[in-house]
Amino acid sequence: MMDTPLEKVPLLERFVNGDDTFRNSRFKLIPYISKGSWIVKQSVGKKACLVGQALEINYFRGSNYLELGVDIGSSTVARGVVSLVLGYLNNLVIEMAFLVQGNTQEELPEFLLGTCRLNYLDASKAVSLDEC
């Protein structure tokens, strides 16, 4: 949610109102495993990734929102990393930043969409959508 009009943030406005090709070339994830095993830290890394270049993303645009559905299963490499991470999930602290990448001087600084931290998740306590 923003309190600034979209028009005042040109990079974000292009991302929200642009086509999927533009969005795929700009949606960036920066992952970081702050606590966890060495093997997971090495597998996940902490390099920024243009998600739309590696995974399929479905965009859902409403009158006042943009929702992204990232298909982790669309990449063999991503499936392997996620499978590894799931095995260690309850021993991990995972931090992620989501940005819109700026490619030109006029587009900088990049726009931070949000961050999250996942602390020692217990996948066995996950609730199926069918149960909701």
Side-chain angles (χ1 to χ4, degrees):
M1 187 164 165
M2 292 180 53
D3 54 5
T4 306
L6 196 57
E7 300 78 35
K8 297 213 182 239
V9 189
L11 178 59
L12 183 60
E13 182 180 36
R14 280 190 67 202
F15 184 78
V16 170
N17 295 325
D19 61 15
D20 291 356
T21 302
F22 179 79
R23 292 176 183 147
N24 286 340
S25 71
R26 300 302 184 96
F27 182 59
K28 182 189 285 188
L29 163 69
I30 303 173
Y32 179 64
I33 306 294
S34 55
K35 291 198 168 55
S37 73
W38 177 86
I39 186 108
V40 174
K41 287 181 178 185
Q42 290 300 112
S43 296
V44 171
K46 48 187 166 185
K47 263 178 82 171
C49 169
L50 289 171
V51 179
Q53 304 296 312
L55 301 171
E56 288 181 25
I57 302 178
N58 294 304
Y59 299 92
F60 307 95
R61 177 80 163 94
S63 61
N64 63 349
Y65 70 91
L66 175 65
E67 180 180 335
L68 285 68
V70 180
D71 182 1
I72 301 295
S74 63
S75 161
T76 306
V77 173
R79 271 196 315 268
V81 171
V82 168
S83 178
L84 174 69
V85 167
L86 284 174
Y88 291 89
L89 200 54
N90 60 346
N91 295 314
L92 298 177
V93 175
I94 305 166
E95 301 180 50
M96 295 179 280
F98 301 93
L99 303 96
V100 178
Q101 176 170 288
N103 287 343
T104 66
Q105 192 64 36
E106 295 78 33
E107 293 176 336
L108 297 176
E110 295 181 324
F111 188 83
L112 180 64
L113 295 167
T115 62
C116 69
R117 175 180 287 157
L118 308 173
N119 291 311
Y120 308 108
L121 296 179
D122 185 351
S124 69
K125 293 182 179 175
V127 177
S128 170
L129 291 177
D130 296 335
E131 297 172 21
C132 293

